Amino acid sequence: MLVAVVAALLLVPPAVGSLSGGGDGTQLKGLQVMVPNSPGGGYDVTARAAARAAEEAGVTGAVEVFNLPGAGGTVGLRRLVNDAGDTRELMSMGLGVVGSVYSNDSPVTLRQTTPIARLTEETEILVVPADSPFRDLGQLLAAWRANPGALPVGGGSSPGGPDHLAPMLTAKAAGIDPRTVNYVPYDGGGDLLAAVLGGKVGLGVSGLGEFADQVASGDLRVLAVTAGERVPGVEAPTLRESGVDVEFTNWRGLVAPPGLTAEQRDELVAAVGALHGSAEWREALERNDWQDAYLPGDAFGAFLAAEDERVAGVLRELGLA
């Protein structure tokens, strides 16, 4: 599998428009990107940043981005699968949708979609509001261990998503039974942010890019990052530095409906490949503190299948599935 992945990464995608439907021969026209959660969440920010970069780089014409939230992304997933054969529709998604398929007993799965590309990777962060009594992770863990159910933990994903898996793995490594954790799911980072700032949860877990502005302004305090190394510009230790043996990152990408021909799929893969190679996208990565995790086409499909098995295994291991 590794050889196949490396080979796929080395392939140079054909020029956009060299396949059918490329509009004027240089741009992909009429593209829509569905966001399966509320405005302000990670999928939303990623979709709008990608659409803007693609337009400015001349990869596409105007791109319509629309939100269809519900059930941790599986409402949007069902719409995408039902739109079989639509060559101008993409869905912004990530690890959260992988888990939501299990937690919501979804009748459709990501295996029914057409994988286009993984785009980004980023650390999760554990945050509290500025007026929280918890000044560091050690203080929070002490209170959490003493009474796990008394600390509401908010995340912007359904059970099985990154904002759920990160605190559950943290709890287990800290000696807390994950089944006793009071996890409160929100439909995306926007809803979660309001809950954290409003004191509805004692701890919030989300991607750095979603809360970067509030961290920079001092409205939120980062207790730890889940990445293996400290994040430049974020004054917080890693979980491992804090004595919790967990390393965890989130990822996001794009899938298309089923029922596309190989040529139709390749056209979308090529367009996203051109986006990935643009200066406009590099600026978006830097602006949002995202790591480049580009993985196109079949290689992304293999990755999705592996992630599906991994998430199911983690949920079983934690006693949550």
Side-chain angles (χ1 to χ4, degrees), residues 8-241:
L9 287 170
L10 292 175
L11 289 176
V12 178
V16 178
S18 63
L19 302 171
S20 63
D24 59 5
T26 59
Q27 291 184 331
L28 193 68
K29 298 295 185 68
L31 189 65
Q32 293 183 314
V33 181
M34 183 206 312
V35 177
N37 64 7
S38 302
Y43 300 152
D44 185 71
V45 174
T46 303
R48 294 182 190 280
R52 177 182 174 184
E55 291 172 359
E56 292 179 349
V59 173
T60 67
V63 179
E64 178 189 355
V65 179
F66 66 97
N67 297 78
L68 185 62
T74 56
V75 169
L77 177 60
R78 186 163 59 247
R79 153 78 180 265
L80 189 80
V81 171
N82 288 338
D83 288 344
D86 189 336
T87 64
R88 289 297 179 268
E89 184 176 13
L90 295 173
M91 185 177 84
S92 176
M93 50 73 69
L95 181 56
V97 179
V98 177
S100 293
V101 167
Y102 288 98
S103 62
N104 290 284
D105 195 22
S106 174
V108 296
T109 74
L110 286 164
R111 293 178 184 271
Q112 295 172 261
T113 68
T114 302
I116 300 302
R118 185 182 69 185
L119 291 175
T120 66
E121 190 174 61
E122 69 173 335
T123 185
E124 294 278 294
I125 54 175
L126 281 62
V127 300
V128 294
D131 60 359
S132 170
F134 304 122
R135 307 301 300 179
D136 57 42
L137 187 63
Q139 292 178 349
L140 181 136
L141 289 178
W144 204 7
R145 290 188 185 103
N147 191 350
L151 179 73
V153 180
S157 60
S158 298
D163 297 355
H164 172 252
L165 292 177
M168 292 300 175
L169 291 169
T170 299
K172 182 181 180 183
I176 300 166
D177 185 346
R179 291 169 294 186
T180 67
V181 173
N182 180 11
Y183 179 75
V184 184
Y186 291 89
D187 198 4
D191 293 344
L192 172 61
L193 176 61
V196 175
L197 293 176
K200 294 182 179 179
V201 296
L203 173 68
V205 182
S206 188
L208 172 60
E210 294 176 74
F211 289 170
D213 290 344
Q214 290 73 29
V215 170
S217 69
D219 292 325
L220 293 178
R221 179 162 59 251
V222 183
L223 301 184
V225 300
T226 66
E229 298 180 354
R230 288 201 178 205
V231 177
V234 178
E235 295 298 322
T238 67
L239 286 173
R240 285 206 169 111
E241 286 181 290

Side-chain angles (χ1 to χ4, degrees), residues 229-274:
E229 298 180 354
R230 288 201 178 205
V231 177
V234 178
E235 295 298 322
T238 67
L239 286 173
R240 285 206 169 111
E241 286 181 290
S242 303
V244 180
D245 190 17
V246 170
E247 181 179 332
F248 184 91
T249 54
N250 186 19
W251 58 267
R252 298 190 182 98
L254 296 167
V255 293
L260 304 188
T261 66
E263 186 177 46
Q264 290 166 343
R265 185 206 70 156
D266 289 348
E267 183 179 37
L268 291 172
V269 172
V272 177

Side-chain angles (χ1 to χ4, degrees), residues 293-315:
Y294 178 63
L295 196 64
D298 289 340
F300 180 42
F303 171 80
L304 271 181
E307 283 291 89
D308 184 74
E309 294 181 8
R310 182 177 75 91
V311 168
V314 169
L315 290 174

